[in-house]
Amino acid sequence: MDEFNLIDAFFARHQSRRRDVVIGIGDDGAVVQPAAEHELVIATDTMVEGVHFDSTTPPRALGHKIAAVNISDLAAMGAEPSWLTLALTLPRVDRDWLEEFSAGLFEIADYYHCALVGGDTTRGPLTLTVTAQGQLPKGKAISRGKAKPGDWIYVSGDLGDAGLGLAVSQQRVEVASRHLKRVYDKLHYPMPRVALGQALRGIASACIDVSDGLLADLGQILKQSNCAAQVQIDKLPLSLALTETLEAEDALRYALTSGDDYELCFTLPEQHRGQLETRIAHTAIKPVCIGQVVGGDKGKIRLRDGADEWQFAAAVQPGYNHFNDND
Ligand SMILES: [Mg+2]
């Protein structure tokens, strides 16, 4: 058995409790049994060392995050995450690294009741790819393309903390020690909004997960829905970690343009507001209404502070990636 077969055996140790995995790791392909009258939702994301993370990132965080970002895409579609495959390219075989990486991956997979059903391992520059598959009842997927003028815009939680965590890890910003855990956890261990995504089935007109920054990701909804939006900067949910660390304008810059928060941004027609409240009444989910879809220039987002127009003093680039500005 060569060392890469050893790695495969390493991941095969994980036992999932899912009964819908007919054939899992160890065959030429996995066989799974989707639920009756359901559709499959499939998402893939890759993370490359030197592009999406640097060599100081803990391997446990990498395992968590490569699964989390994929599960987050499923959440944004309203799907229930079910199965994962992993393609791993490693420069060398390092047992300790694999222990930590797989622990991070399996923690989140188990949390969301997802089974790892297959994968591949090769030698090369460190590259992580997960494909996640989820299920939802036929016709219930939430796309980016059906927002309408008048719909309310919501986000599921605080924005900008992951960007702050990255700035702290790169020693561009210092935070008080009481905020350190929060900003690092938001950067390294995001928790996808799976329950909210499912609660939005049939009522949200559009949804996206915030991976590239609110302006960029909301912009995707607006472009695909052929609409514009007004966003109230005074309504954006900001953590104490963010507001106690940064000047007001910088805090807004992080909230609006830094990525990796993996909150959901969604649009909701007025007539479904009550239904959303009912569906989440007995949960810890507290989405915040931050603005409204309007007609006008496709993709344009106007910022307002109360009743007034608001602009950054210096121009911002939506979706600016703090790690790599070529992205
Ligand atoms: Mg996404």
Side-chain angles (χ1 to χ4, degrees), residues 157-171:
D158 293 343
L159 299 171
D161 288 343
L164 182 59
L166 185 63
V168 171
S169 75
Q170 296 176 342
Q171 298 174 337

Side-chain angles (χ1 to χ4, degrees), residues 73 144 209 211:
D73 279 331
R144 298 175 177 179
D209 63 326
S211 56

Side-chain angles (χ1 to χ4, degrees), residues 46-225:
T46 291
M47 288 167 40
V48 180
E49 185 176 64
V51 179
H52 302 95
F53 61 93
D54 66 22
S55 59
T56 66
T57 310
R60 197 182 196 96
L62 294 176
H64 177 102
K65 193 155 173 179
I66 189 60
V69 300
N70 279 283
I71 292 171
S72 179
D73 279 331
L74 299 183
M77 303 298 294
E80 177 201 331
S82 305
W83 310 293
L84 304 175
T85 55
L86 167 71
L88 198 53
T89 303
L90 298 171
R92 74 196 78 81
V93 175
D94 175 339
R95 222 164 218 291
D96 293 340
W97 189 95
L98 280 163
E99 281 286 352
E100 285 294 302
F101 175 83
S102 61
L105 184 89
F106 289 135
E107 266 162 18
I108 185 164
D110 287 342
Y111 184 85
Y112 291 106
H113 197 47
C114 256
L116 184 72
V117 295
D120 189 25
T121 320
T122 50
R123 189 185 298 278
L126 183 56
T127 304
L128 321 166
T129 301
V130 161
T131 298
Q133 303 196 39
Q135 309 176 69
L136 41 64
K138 261 186 190 167
K140 294 290 186 192
I142 310 163
S143 74
R144 298 175 177 179
K146 291 182 182 151
K148 296 255 170 2
D151 291 355
W152 298 99
I153 301 167
Y154 287 78
V155 290
S156 57
D158 293 343
L159 299 171
D161 288 343
L164 182 59
L166 185 63
V168 171
S169 75
Q170 296 176 342
Q171 298 174 337
R172 290 184 278 115
V173 174
E174 274 182 38
V175 296
S177 55
R178 65 182 177 282
H179 297 316
L180 256 187
K181 184 171 179 342
R182 180 191 173 84
V183 300
Y184 275 143
D185 279 356
K186 290 286 285 207
L187 173 64
H188 290 317
Y189 299 97
M191 291 306 281
R193 300 296 194 167
V194 170
L196 174 60
Q198 290 176 40
L200 295 176
R201 287 177 188 165
I203 56 175
S205 49
C207 187
I208 193 167
D209 63 326
V210 180
S211 56
D212 296 340
L214 180 69
L215 292 183
D217 292 317
L218 174 58
Q220 293 294 337
I221 287 181
L222 299 171
K223 278 179 210 146
Q224 294 187 31
S225 298

Side-chain angles (χ1 to χ4, degrees), residues 195-196 199-200 275-287:
L196 174 60
L200 295 176
Q275 223 174 334
L276 176 63
E277 274 175 36
T278 308
R279 287 185 189 184
I280 63 175
H282 301 289
T283 72
I285 305 169
K286 299 273 180 287

